[in-house]
Amino acid sequence: MAADNPSPLPLTRSRATRDPEGTQRALLAAATAEFAEKGLAGARVDEIARRAGVNKQLVYHHFGSKENLYRAALEQVYAGIRAQEQALQLSELPPAVAMERLVGFSFDYLVEHPEFIALLNDENRGRARHLPDTAQLQDMHAPLITLLHETLERGGREGVFRTDMDPVNVYISIAGLSYFYFSNNPTLSVIFGQELSSARAVAARRRHVIAFTLAALRA
Amino acid sequence: MAADNPSPLPLTRSRATRDPEGTQRALLAAATAEFAEKGLAGARVDEIARRAGVNKQLVYHHFGSKENLYRAALEQVYAGIRAQEQALQLSELPPAVAMERLVGFSFDYLVEHPEFIALLNDENRGRARHLPDTAQLQDMHAPLITLLHETLERGGREGVFRTDMDPVNVYISIAGLSYFYFSNNPTLSVIFGQELSSARAVAARRRHVIAFTLAALRA
Amino acid sequence: MAADNPSPLPLTRSRATRDPEGTQRALLAAATAEFAEKGLAGARVDEIARRAGVNKQLVYHHFGSKENLYRAALEQVYAGIRAQEQALQLSELPPAVAMERLVGFSFDYLVEHPEFIALLNDENRGRARHLPDTAQLQDMHAPLITLLHETLERGGREGVFRTDMDPVNVYISIAGLSYFYFSNNPTLSVIFGQELSSARAVAARRRHVIAFTLAALRA
Amino acid sequence: MAADNPSPLPLTRSRATRDPEGTQRALLAAATAEFAEKGLAGARVDEIARRAGVNKQLVYHHFGSKENLYRAALEQVYAGIRAQEQALQLSELPPAVAMERLVGFSFDYLVEHPEFIALLNDENRGRARHLPDTAQLQDMHAPLITLLHETLERGGREGVFRTDMDPVNVYISIAGLSYFYFSNNPTLSVIFGQELSSARAVAARRRHVIAFTLAALRA
DNA sequence: AATGAATGAGTTTTCATTCAT
DNA sequence: TATGAATGAAAACTCATTCAT
């Protein structure tokens, strides 16, 4: 789309010597990748700085500590999925179509954002100790549950969905069917002797998840 | 006063002074707990020895390295679930009953063995680098898939199950519906503002998972 | 609402935007407090700037280095006591009265200037490496010794003071009797289980020091 | 005194590879010197280990932290002066002689143990935050005050001492007259343009302190 | 004159692992 | 087999100082 990056700022290291926002962005991106790969304990501040192309001490200047940086990365990762969910516009679609789109989105997002899973896994082992601002997180997810609730009810009224399922559990099932496939892909691949990360296997899984969910919900 | 401590028993822990098997067992149990809580990188050899009530050097004496100990813990954890799965005796039950029992077992096992999830999560982030003996793991899971395949086919012949679902994906779905609920319980609880680890919530989830799966598979 | 912050005054501290003298004064005061509390090694340039409400770089702009700032603080602290000593006007008083006033002044000055002790202590551990302009310091103290010498002689001639005491040692004794009480107040309070910094204890010490000194000097 | 150091342990570094007590002693001695020279903040753990001829990590193995090591050094330094004070046997001497001996001891101890002053000074600046076991310290000093009290009373009854002086303040005066001379020796030397640390000056000070104290106390 | 981002050299502390007993 | 001291390498974090604006 025409002249990308018109600014004189180089994309890598030595960021024009003075660019606090760029520095913070670079650190956050590097941190997300490093934490996703190695977890909070395994990640190295040195390595994060190296990846960001900045001096290590800037981590402390801008974020105060490794743990704060981790928190910031978590927050950003949640904000990412929220932003895209809100753009789904499900309420205007027929219930079954809306549900299929939601399941598909949940699946596709994880394909494109493997760091989301990795960060959440570590955070869950730590009993969600670093989760940023609880109220904000709940506010961010409430619309999703409301939407799911409405869609299930609409489907029930129209006779296409069963009416005995708790929306929160339905959401967890939808998320889990996709999430588990990706989060445990390495061990599952070994166990079953199949390369479950191949494009072919992923596509098959996507179809399965949609079919499985819609069958489970149908009246 | 007179003869202080005349007994040959030492006053401190120090497991019977000579009990290699007991020591190994204690170390393995301590390691499983420590790795489950903190991951491979976060776990401390010192702490594992302390939990086991033995000297740190014994970790090296018996297991060679922290990583080997981790491997041993992983192996033991897989052996645990394998042993119980084999005792399920599903082949003699009606297909729907067999399936319900399998789903229930998958769920219940995770309730009773939270360390299983924690260890697997870390291993998956590390791309299953430490997974013990691949062939053995596959051998251990092959019967499960065969059994699932047979059960689905039996159900198909009897007209109670649909016939278009890949057994591996069905297994992954069954496992995922339970696993995700527990692995992500802390963050899900925060996000939805509900205590999903309460006995009540767990029981509701169990019913949901069984209903969801059976509905998804029915003809 | 309307025009936000139209005034040219910045919203944050930032002393009048241009006030070099005020800045220097603030820095010196902040430095004296910080060095007194933590010593040269323990003091933090960041903290000094924060206390002074100015940017850290101004420390370097105005003083060149942390050590120079320390030197300046020391110098100022010596100048403080010198200025007050000169105002004592002892030469016109009867010897015993003059001596009592000098002892009282030495005591009171320390009560009011605890930073004097703290700064000197650190400097003495460092073997007086940073002491400003030796000659000037000596010039500043010479009159004091002369005065003490004259007072002792006058007292000797009048038969109220003994005549065998070296003025420098007498000065050190007078200073020490007060100084030690304050410099070691925390440890002495612990050791003797008494709160030696209470107003009551301080007043008692003042009386003791005067009585002790005058008794030691009397003929 | 006959065969010194008969043990095969070398006096310096590489302590026979296994000698925990020797290691701790060496670390404590090195720490005392380093803390005395540079204070708690200025001391370097690296340097302490180097001086002790041991690996730096042994500081943490044996003492846990730099601060704990400092505490241990403080404790040892207090124990040192206590041990010698107890050997003074003042109660059997005539009051004036006992007092002279106590003053002389207070003076001589500081001559031989300059680290005592340096450690105390730093601790006092920090408001005695690290002082070890308060009760024990008080117990250790109580006999001294009792002794002083008795000596002053004996002197009072015998008509050689005045009877209006608080023993604690007398002790602080005795200590202060010697302590201040040494603690502030560098700055005093500069101020008065005299080398107050010369053997000659020290001897003169010793005589002064004894004369000053006895004169102050005499009936 | 004033600001705050940026840096390099260090400092305490941690930790898996090995050694001597 | 078991112990605890000892070690080297690295990790998080600190801090005085300088740079660009």
Side-chain angles (χ1 to χ4, degrees):
Chain A
M1 297 170 165
D4 291 26
N5 188 32
S7 117
L9 291 177
L11 284 175
T12 51
R13 63 185 41 244
S14 168
R15 34 208 56 280
T17 4
R18 205 40 62 113
D19 175 13
E21 282 176 35
T23 297
Q24 290 191 38
R25 233 179 301 120
L27 277 172
L28 215 41
T32 302
E34 175 81 358
F35 286 130
E37 281 170 31
K38 315 198 188 136
L40 173 53
R44 298 295 165 236
V45 173
D46 266 312
E47 180 63 12
I48 291 171
R50 205 194 51 68
R51 282 174 178 226
V54 307
N55 186 288
K56 173 174 52 155
Q57 283 58 264
L58 290 184
V59 168
Y60 297 94
H61 187 61
H62 290 296
F63 294 92
S65 71
K66 180 186 179 182
E67 211 156 340
N68 270 157
L69 180 53
Y70 174 74
R71 247 181 274 271
L74 256 183
E75 197 164 343
Q76 192 197 231
V77 145
Y78 265 111
I81 195 170
R82 165 189 55 175
Q84 291 204 229
E85 267 172 0
Q86 285 175 344
L88 277 180
Q89 305 287 10
L90 301 182
S91 53
E92 292 137 27
L93 299 171
V97 176
M99 196 60 68
E100 180 173 340
R101 181 177 286 194
L102 177 61
V103 174
F105 167 77
S106 293
F107 190 91
D108 297 339
Y109 191 85
L110 298 179
V111 173
E112 287 154 26
H113 298 278
E115 78 282 2
F116 182 76
I117 289 174
L119 281 180
L120 281 205
N121 272 2
D122 215 47
E123 184 57 9
N124 275 300
R125 197 202 18 247
R127 317 217 137 268
R129 211 185 337 224
H130 307 89
L131 225 50
D133 193 349
T134 299
Q136 182 191 324
L137 271 180
Q138 289 172 6
D139 288 353
M140 154 191 338
H141 285 83
L144 185 69
I145 290 304
T146 303
L147 181 68
L148 195 55
H149 186 61
E150 287 168 4
T151 306
L152 288 171
E153 288 220 318
R154 262 201 301 144
R157 283 195 304 275
E158 295 176 15
V160 298
F161 285 162
R162 60 197 293 181
T163 57
D164 62 345
M165 286 208 164
D166 165 46
V168 166
N169 263 316
V170 169
Y171 176 80
I172 293 175
S173 292
I174 290 173
L177 287 171
S178 294
Y179 190 102
F180 177 73
Y181 183 78
F182 291 109
S183 76
N184 286 41
N185 199 289
T187 53
L188 291 172
S189 291
V190 168
I191 281 174
F192 294 124
Q194 300 179 19
E195 191 39 83
L196 299 177
S197 59
S198 71
R200 186 189 171 81
V202 169
R205 177 68 189 173
R206 192 182 195 279
R207 286 190 301 274
H208 170 89
V209 165
I210 289 173
F212 197 92
T213 304
L214 290 179
L217 295 179
R218 76 177 172 231
Chain B
M1 310 316 169
D4 291 28
N5 189 29
S7 121
L9 290 176
L11 285 175
T12 50
R13 60 257 132 83
S14 127
R15 34 205 49 281
T17 324
R18 289 280 157 124
D19 175 11
E21 282 178 35
T23 296
Q24 287 193 40
R25 232 178 305 119
L27 276 172
L28 214 42
T32 302
E34 175 80 359
F35 286 130
E37 279 171 32
K38 318 203 186 132
L40 172 54
R44 298 295 164 238
V45 174
D46 266 308
E47 180 63 12
I48 291 171
R50 205 193 52 70
R51 281 176 179 227
V54 307
N55 185 281
K56 183 172 43 160
Q57 169 61 7
L58 290 186
V59 168
Y60 295 92
H61 188 66
H62 289 296
F63 295 92
S65 73
K66 180 188 181 183
E67 212 156 339
N68 274 149
L69 179 54
Y70 175 74
R71 247 181 275 269
L74 254 184
E75 198 164 341
Q76 189 197 233
V77 144
Y78 265 113
I81 195 169
R82 165 187 53 179
Q84 291 203 233
E85 267 173 358
Q86 285 174 344
L88 273 179
Q89 307 286 10
L90 301 182
S91 52
E92 292 137 27
L93 300 170
V97 175
M99 195 59 69
E100 179 172 342
R101 182 177 285 193
L102 177 62
V103 174
F105 168 78
S106 294
F107 190 91
D108 297 338
Y109 191 85
L110 297 179
V111 173
E112 288 153 27
H113 298 278
E115 76 283 1
F116 181 75
I117 289 173
L119 282 180
L120 280 206
N121 270 3
D122 216 48
E123 184 57 9
N124 275 300
R125 199 207 11 251
R127 320 223 132 262
R129 209 182 340 221
H130 307 90
L131 224 50
D133 192 348
T134 301
Q136 182 189 326
L137 269 181
Q138 289 173 4
D139 288 352
M140 156 194 338
H141 283 84
L144 186 69
I145 289 304
T146 304
L147 182 68
L148 192 57
H149 187 59
E150 286 168 4
T151 306
L152 288 171
E153 287 221 319
R154 262 201 301 142
R157 282 196 305 274
E158 296 177 15
V160 298
F161 285 164
R162 60 198 294 181
T163 57
D164 62 345
M165 287 209 165
D166 165 44
V168 166
N169 263 318
V170 169
Y171 176 79
I172 293 175
S173 292
I174 289 173
L177 286 171
S178 294
Y179 190 101
F180 178 73
Y181 183 78
F182 292 108
S183 75
N184 286 42
N185 200 291
T187 53
L188 291 171
S189 290
V190 169
I191 282 172
F192 294 124
Q194 299 180 19
E195 191 39 83
L196 299 178
S197 59
S198 71
R200 186 190 173 83
V202 169
R205 177 67 190 173
R206 191 181 196 278
R207 287 191 301 274
H208 171 89
V209 165
I210 289 173
F212 197 92
T213 305
L214 290 179
L217 295 180
R218 78 180 170 224
Chain C
M1 314 311 172
D4 292 28
N5 190 29
S7 120
L9 288 175
L11 285 175
T12 51
R13 60 256 130 87
S14 123
R15 38 205 47 278
T17 325
R18 289 280 157 124
D19 176 9
E21 281 177 37
T23 296
Q24 287 193 40
R25 231 178 304 118
L27 276 172
L28 214 41
T32 302
E34 174 81 358
F35 287 130
E37 281 172 32
K38 317 201 187 131
L40 173 53
R44 299 293 164 240
V45 174
D46 266 307
E47 181 62 11
I48 291 171
R50 205 193 52 69
R51 281 176 178 226
V54 308
N55 185 279
K56 182 173 38 161
Q57 169 62 5
L58 289 185
V59 168
Y60 295 91
H61 188 65
H62 290 296
F63 295 92
S65 72
K66 180 189 181 183
E67 212 157 339
N68 273 150
L69 180 53
Y70 175 74
R71 246 181 275 270
L74 253 184
E75 198 164 341
Q76 191 197 231
V77 145
Y78 266 111
I81 196 170
R82 165 189 51 178
Q84 291 206 230
E85 268 173 356
Q86 285 174 345
L88 274 180
Q89 307 285 11
L90 301 183
S91 51
E92 292 138 27
L93 299 170
V97 177
M99 196 60 68
E100 180 172 343
R101 185 177 286 192
L102 178 60
V103 174
F105 168 78
S106 294
F107 190 91
D108 298 337
Y109 191 84
L110 298 178
V111 172
E112 288 153 28
H113 298 279
E115 76 284 1
F116 181 74
I117 289 174
L119 281 180
L120 280 205
N121 271 2
D122 216 49
E123 184 57 10
N124 275 300
R125 200 206 9 251
R127 319 224 132 260
R129 210 184 336 224
H130 307 90
L131 223 50
D133 193 347
T134 301
Q136 180 189 326
L137 270 180
Q138 289 172 6
D139 288 354
M140 156 192 338
H141 284 83
L144 186 68
I145 290 304
T146 304
L147 182 67
L148 193 55
H149 187 60
E150 286 169 4
T151 306
L152 288 171
E153 287 221 319
R154 260 201 300 143
R157 282 196 303 275
E158 296 177 15
V160 297
F161 286 163
R162 60 196 295 180
T163 57
D164 62 345
M165 287 207 166
D166 165 44
V168 166
N169 264 318
V170 169
Y171 177 79
I172 293 175
S173 292
I174 290 173
L177 287 171
S178 294
Y179 190 101
F180 177 73
Y181 183 79
F182 291 109
S183 75
N184 287 43
N185 201 289
T187 54
L188 291 172
S189 290
V190 169
I191 282 172
F192 294 125
Q194 298 180 19
E195 191 39 83
L196 299 177
S197 59
S198 71
R200 186 189 172 82
V202 169
R205 177 69 191 173
R206 192 182 195 279
R207 287 190 301 273
H208 171 90
V209 165
I210 289 173
F212 197 92
T213 305
L214 290 179
L217 295 180
R218 77 178 171 228
Chain D
M1 297 169 168
D4 291 27
N5 189 31
S7 118
L9 290 177
L11 284 175
T12 52
R13 61 184 46 242
S14 169
R15 34 210 55 278
T17 4
R18 203 43 62 112
D19 175 14
E21 281 176 34
T23 296
Q24 290 189 38
R25 231 178 303 119
L27 277 171
L28 215 40
T32 302
E34 174 81 358
F35 285 131
E37 282 171 31
K38 316 200 187 134
L40 173 53
R44 297 294 166 240
V45 173
D46 267 313
E47 181 62 12
I48 290 172
R50 205 193 52 68
R51 282 175 176 225
V54 308
N55 187 287
K56 173 174 49 155
Q57 281 60 263
L58 290 185
V59 168
Y60 297 92
H61 187 60
H62 289 296
F63 295 92
S65 71
K66 180 187 178 182
E67 211 157 340
N68 272 157
L69 180 53
Y70 175 73
R71 246 181 275 270
L74 257 183
E75 196 164 343
Q76 192 196 231
V77 144
Y78 266 111
I81 195 170
R82 165 190 53 176
Q84 291 204 229
E85 268 173 357
Q86 286 175 343
L88 277 180
Q89 306 285 13
L90 301 183
S91 54
E92 293 139 25
L93 300 171
V97 177
M99 197 60 69
E100 180 174 341
R101 183 176 285 193
L102 178 60
V103 175
F105 168 78
S106 294
F107 190 90
D108 297 338
Y109 192 84
L110 298 180
V111 172
E112 287 153 29
H113 297 278
E115 78 282 2
F116 182 75
I117 288 174
L119 280 180
L120 281 206
N121 271 3
D122 215 49
E123 183 58 8
N124 276 301
R125 202 212 3 257
R127 319 218 135 266
R129 212 185 337 225
H130 307 90
L131 226 50
D133 194 349
T134 300
Q136 182 190 322
L137 270 180
Q138 290 174 6
D139 288 353
M140 154 192 337
H141 285 83
L144 185 68
I145 290 304
T146 304
L147 181 67
L148 195 55
H149 187 60
E150 287 169 4
T151 306
L152 288 172
E153 288 221 319
R154 260 200 303 141
R157 282 195 304 274
E158 295 177 15
V160 299
F161 286 162
R162 60 197 292 182
T163 57
D164 63 344
M165 287 210 166
D166 166 45
V168 166
N169 262 317
V170 169
Y171 176 79
I172 293 176
S173 292
I174 290 172
L177 287 171
S178 294
Y179 191 101
F180 178 72
Y181 183 78
F182 292 109
S183 75
N184 287 40
N185 200 290
T187 53
L188 291 171
S189 290
V190 169
I191 282 173
F192 294 124
Q194 300 179 19
E195 190 39 82
L196 299 178
S197 59
S198 70
R200 186 190 173 81
V202 169
R205 177 68 190 173
R206 192 181 194 280
R207 286 191 301 274
H208 170 90
V209 165
I210 289 172
F212 197 92
T213 305
L214 290 179
L217 295 179
R218 75 177 174 231

